[in-house]
Amino acid sequence: MDNLLIEFLLRWVHFLAGITWIGMLYYFNFVQTPFFKSCDGDVRSSMIRGLVPNALWWFRWGAMFTFLSGLAIVTMKAHVFKIPWDNTYMTIILTGGLMGTLMWFNVWFIIWPAQKVVIASAEQVASGGQAIADAASRGARAGMASRTNTLFSIPMLFCMGAANHYPLVAAGAGENPNLMMYWILTFVVVGVAEITGAFSGAGKPFQKHLASVKGVITAGFVLTGVMVAVMKFVI
């Protein structure tokens, strides 16, 4: 099969899986979570036991196929189409890929394990048993990781489009002489966002930007602006 056709099919899968994943992410954060805060306990329990497991299935497998297809595309770019790793296009794609990988990690290793405990606790209570002791704290941590993913999704999608279509970046198709400085700044900025969001318990003073939908969206655009500044002045 022609390599260009293979890459196109991988990109198609990447789009389909990514839309499924991010669509579910936005549903959880923009629709379900605010609704849960306003509904009574019986309704919330029923949804946790019925709707949420199905939604989480599409959520986590959308994340998995997005991650795997993206990894395959980048591998083809580097090893089949021979695009150097220090090429500006690859640098920006990998910047988006870094955030996407952290988002995938958060789904599979923070959000899903925590939500399994929350669902199991709701099942036990509905059967007349006791709630699992740490279900609430695990659910809160999953919520922070999910909000962090929503924040990351905004600059991540910007990077995926900017690699080919944003003149500031796409015009600089040559090698990047400041690659080390760029990645140091990128890892610091993205790492701080990940650690203070996904790896911290809920309610910390530095998490005010994650406390509301408006705050998360605003923080996502701010992080995008920071990343654009790094691209402009370092690359």
Side-chain angles (χ1 to χ4, degrees):
M1 188 181 293
D2 181 77
N3 287 329
L4 287 174
L5 178 58
I6 294 172
E7 186 205 7
F8 168 76
L9 292 175
L10 286 170
R11 195 176 296 276
W12 185 33
V13 171
H14 193 61
F15 288 163
L16 288 171
I19 289 169
T20 302
W21 177 20
I22 301 302
M24 295 306 301
L25 174 69
Y26 289 169
Y27 160 74
F28 284 133
N29 283 274
F30 301 160
V31 180
Q32 180 178 286
T33 298
F35 176 75
F36 275 10
K37 290 179 179 179
S38 64
C39 68
D40 63 50
D42 289 339
V43 172
R44 184 165 55 249
S45 175
S46 178
M47 290 183 67
I48 290 172
R49 291 178 287 115
L51 182 147
V52 171
N54 186 47
L56 285 170
W57 189 91
W58 289 100
F59 177 63
R60 67 182 186 276
W61 287 108
M64 181 62 76
F65 280 94
T66 304
F67 172 73
L68 293 176
S69 57
L71 182 63
I73 291 168
V74 169
T75 301
M76 284 196 71
K77 291 286 189 184
H79 297 290
V80 176
F81 299 111
K82 306 299 182 182
I83 299 178
W85 291 106
D86 58 353
N87 178 273
T88 301
Y89 166 85
M90 289 292 279
T91 300
I92 304 307
I93 282 292
L94 290 172
T95 302
L98 170 64
M99 288 180 278
T101 299
L102 288 173
M103 291 167 65
W104 165 82
F105 176 89
N106 291 342
V107 168
W108 277 91
F109 300 101
I110 298 178
I111 298 172
W112 173 231
Q115 288 294 347
K116 285 194 289 185
V117 175
V118 173
I119 294 167
S121 180
E123 293 282 4
Q124 287 185 192
V125 172
S127 300
Q130 294 294 317
I132 297 175
D134 65 341
S137 61
R138 295 287 296 273
R141 187 179 178 195
M144 287 297 100
S146 186
R147 289 289 177 91
T148 302
N149 277 9
T150 304
L151 186 157
F152 277 148
S153 71
I154 297 173
M156 181 270 292
L157 290 170
F158 176 88
C159 288
M160 294 306 178
N164 270 325
H165 303 293
Y166 185 35
L168 173 66
V169 176
E175 294 182 356
N176 179 4
N178 300 315
L179 193 62
M180 182 63 71
M181 178 58 67
Y182 174 83
W183 282 116
I184 289 173
L185 292 173
T186 297
F187 272 95
V188 168
V189 171
V190 173
V192 168
E194 170 73 359
I195 291 169
T196 58
F199 281 88
S200 298
K204 299 293 193 303
F206 50 75
Q207 292 178 329
K208 290 182 178 179
H209 61 291
L210 299 177
S212 66
V213 170
K214 180 180 178 181
V216 172
I217 293 173
T218 300
F221 281 106
V222 169
L223 181 57
T224 303
V226 171
M227 298 307 301
V228 170
V230 174
M231 293 174 195
K232 181 175 181 180
F233 295 109
V234 179
I235 295 180

